[in-house]
Amino acid sequence: MLETERLLLRKFTPEDLDKLIETRSDDEVIKYLGGRTLQNPEAIEKRLQFYMDCYAKFGFGMCAMIWKKTGEMIGWSGLQPLDDTSEIEVGYGMIKEFWGKTIGYECAMAWLNFGFKTAGLERIVAVASPENTGSWRIMEKCGMRYEKTEMHYGMECVFYAVSKDEFTAKEIGK
Amino acid sequence: MLETDRLILRPLDEKDIDAIFAMRSDPEVMRFIREPQNRDESANWVGLVSSLWATEQIGFCAMVEKSLGKFVGWCGLWRLKETGEIEVGYAVAKEFWGKGYATEAALKFLEYAFEKLEPEKIVAVARPKNAASRRVMEKLGMDFVKTDTFYDQSLVQYAITKENYARNRKAFTA
């Protein structure tokens, strides 16, 4: 669906299930993703179906994150509806070996660009556990602003948002 | 929304915070659950256990006595943080203890869970000394599995497989 300098973000297929489960099997990786409450094989299988349903419904959805250099799937990233709100969120996550390489930022910026310029969205949000400083620094770097703290995905989350106008204004100012 | 002979089971929301706070601040109700909570903590808990309906189809409901129109407690489904297994949980306000409400509501959630979420088994956990809760698990047809660490405390775990549930059901309706 999208390509960045180092990544390919392509739609998931049913064949990705085992690999997706594998990328979400490390306790440290899922620590801020709801732990086993959300990240267990049964729930991940349903979640994968949800991702695929999104493509037809919205024209976008959570995608597989492919490390171009090796072709390996190292995580996931994309746009999707947030819970049962009418908001669209940007999300990203990857296996530990790829932490600290600003990959999350690279994806998030690509999706914000896509969301505002191609998909015609007016606003994009992101949520993360308050302890997940890595994630909310990415949100800030992307020009998102903190709005509130509320419950999503079975945990308390910081909630960030950016409008199309704010995002494009920041781009022009560069 | 679910219904039993005596109860309406509907997702908890903000209007239940007073009733939930009344229970969660009561040391006798909370004796085997956790330290009693203040109003903010109780409100947070309501948000937490309501945050997974849209994505995971699990959460907690208010048990409302149909003929009295009264809030008698909470009951619902979650996934154990440590294992991701589906668990059923319940608590009843003091004035309604000993009337079989927890069993009645939990049985309905077993039916809902086995039908909609199709797990291999459903579990429940409790403090070892919580005889009333263990009695409910036994009445639900659950078997003792082990004592282990769940939610950072030592708890007994009970479980019922889908096969045993189907067999019990057949016996009930025969």
Side-chain angles (χ1 to χ4, degrees):
Chain A
M1 268 200 84
L2 280 186
E3 192 175 342
T4 67
E5 200 187 327
R6 295 173 291 174
L7 303 164
L8 208 58
L9 301 162
R10 64 143 175 87
K11 290 177 182 172
F12 278 113
T13 70
E15 289 71 44
D16 292 317
L17 178 61
D18 291 345
K19 189 69 188 174
L20 184 61
I21 291 171
E22 191 190 316
T23 59
R24 295 184 185 174
S25 59
D26 186 315
D27 283 340
E28 268 190 85
V29 171
I30 64 171
K31 189 172 164 196
Y32 300 125
L33 301 173
R36 305 270 168 222
T37 301
L38 294 186
Q39 310 306 336
N40 58 81
E42 251 170 46
I44 293 173
E45 187 174 0
K46 281 206 192 107
R47 199 66 186 156
L48 178 61
Q49 188 56 54
F50 169 80
Y51 297 159
M52 293 187 292
D53 293 344
C54 281
Y55 307 147
K57 209 165 152 192
F58 301 100
F60 52 74
M62 194 57 72
C63 284
M65 184 193 285
I66 311 295
W67 188 243
K68 279 204 281 193
K69 210 167 163 183
T70 58
E72 185 197 357
M73 179 181 145
I74 61 166
W76 58 90
S77 181
L79 298 172
Q80 65 181 6
L82 171 65
D83 290 350
D84 50 356
T85 67
S86 51
E87 306 276 13
I88 296 295
E89 64 164 338
V90 58
Y92 37 81
M94 72 221 67
I95 54 175
K96 246 179 353 204
E97 297 94 288
F98 290 86
W99 287 5
K101 298 185 195 297
T102 67
I103 291 172
Y105 174 71
E106 189 171 320
C107 299
M109 282 305 277
W111 284 115
L112 291 179
N113 257 306
F114 170 88
F116 291 129
K117 290 172 192 163
T118 309
L121 299 176
E122 288 298 324
R123 175 179 150 93
I124 296 175
V125 306
V127 297
S129 153
E131 290 92 51
N132 190 355
T133 50
S135 185
W136 52 261
R137 288 216 181 97
I138 291 171
M139 300 173 189
E140 286 172 1
K141 228 166 119 186
C142 289
M144 302 184 107
R145 282 172 302 97
Y146 171 82
E147 279 190 1
K148 57 188 167 182
T149 300
E150 62 181 21
M151 296 290 178
H152 291 286
Y153 300 119
M155 59 187 171
E156 191 162 67
C157 291
V158 292
F159 181 110
Y160 279 71
V162 62
S163 71
K164 182 182 178 171
D165 292 345
E166 290 163 342
F167 186 75
T168 27
K170 199 173 159 245
E171 281 230 309
I172 293 162
K174 257 184 209 164
Chain B
M1 194 164 81
L2 302 170
E3 195 173 344
T4 67
D5 283 351
R6 295 179 294 167
L7 299 168
I8 296 281
L9 305 166
R10 51 149 186 82
L12 286 173
D13 64 37
E14 282 115 25
K15 66 177 175 298
D16 300 312
I17 289 173
D18 287 339
I20 291 288
F21 170 51
M23 284 180 67
R24 294 186 76 82
S25 58
D26 182 333
E28 274 191 81
V29 172
M30 299 304 282
R31 182 169 165 213
F32 296 116
I33 301 176
R34 52 163 300 139
E35 291 295 300
Q37 292 187 320
N38 64 31
R39 200 172 190 288
D40 280 353
E41 290 165 334
S42 302
N44 248 350
W45 183 81
V46 169
L48 172 71
V49 297
S50 305
S51 65
L52 291 181
W53 287 117
T55 51
E56 304 297 323
Q57 292 84 48
I58 57 173
F60 279 73
C61 284
M63 292 189 230
V64 180
E65 227 286 351
K66 283 196 277 190
S67 62
L68 306 171
K70 277 194 170 176
F71 181 98
V72 307
W74 68 74
C75 184
L77 301 169
W78 203 246
R79 279 180 183 273
L80 276 182
K81 187 178 95 178
E82 285 81 3
T83 63
E85 294 161 305
I86 293 192
E87 64 167 322
V88 61
Y90 40 80
V92 175
K94 237 171 7 201
E95 57 173 311
F96 299 102
W97 282 2
K99 298 186 187 341
Y101 287 121
T103 307
E104 188 170 321
L107 257 182
K108 195 71 196 171
F109 275 105
L110 293 189
E111 178 187 305
Y112 166 88
F114 277 121
E115 271 175 25
K116 299 270 168 166
L117 309 171
E118 300 177 349
E120 289 300 312
K121 63 178 173 181
I122 296 172
V123 306
V125 293
R127 296 236 181 114
K129 288 188 179 160
N130 189 349
S133 181
R134 297 178 70 156
R135 178 82 188 107
V136 170
M137 295 171 192
E138 283 161 9
K139 285 201 280 182
L140 295 173
M142 294 184 145
D143 296 311
F144 175 78
V145 180
K146 61 177 173 178
T147 303
D148 208 339
T149 302
F150 300 103
Y151 301 111
D152 309 313
Q153 46 183 321
S154 176
L155 301 177
V156 292
Q157 185 187 45
Y158 283 66
I160 183 166
T161 62
K162 67 176 179 194
E163 291 80 12
N164 281 348
Y165 174 75
R167 201 176 304 132
N168 291 352
R169 234 193 121 147
K170 231 169 146 186
F172 280 140
T173 50

